[in-house]
Amino acid sequence: MYKAKLLVDRLERLSADSVWAHRASGVRASLHKALTRLDEDEDPINLELLIEMGFDILHKAAQEVPDPDERFRS
């Protein structure tokens, strides 16, 4: 459950300019809903799959971030 909460927080921080931000919003909403179900002692639907999808989006979004040290390399 800690991973899912951390992931929701990280997905919220994606830049709105990112291609991945729109995709992240759907996964984030689904994660939030699954966590709510878990808090209500209901079975969260596909929590592990949602966590995997969220981390995949974060990984792909991170690949788009330019390396700030790249400008100093020749």
Side-chain angles (χ1 to χ4, degrees):
M1 187 159 97
Y2 173 76
K3 267 195 227 182
K5 288 181 180 181
L6 178 68
L7 191 53
V8 168
D9 183 52
R10 297 296 189 258
L11 290 171
E12 286 177 350
R13 295 174 184 223
L14 286 179
S15 169
D17 296 337
S18 170
V19 172
W20 297 102
H22 179 71
R23 294 180 188 182
S25 68
V27 173
R28 190 178 69 238
S30 295
L31 275 168
H32 183 67
K33 183 176 181 179
L35 288 170
T36 300
R37 289 178 59 101
L38 192 62
D39 286 342
E40 296 171 353
D41 292 328
E42 295 179 29
D43 187 29
I45 301 170
N46 298 322
L47 184 59
E48 289 302 317
L49 177 62
L50 290 170
I51 290 172
E52 184 179 323
M53 291 171 64
F55 278 115
D56 186 52
I57 288 172
L58 283 180
H59 177 76
K60 290 176 180 174
Q63 290 177 333
E64 290 184 351
V65 177
D67 183 355
D69 294 331
E70 187 67 31
R71 63 181 177 211
F72 299 114
R73 295 183 190 143
S74 316

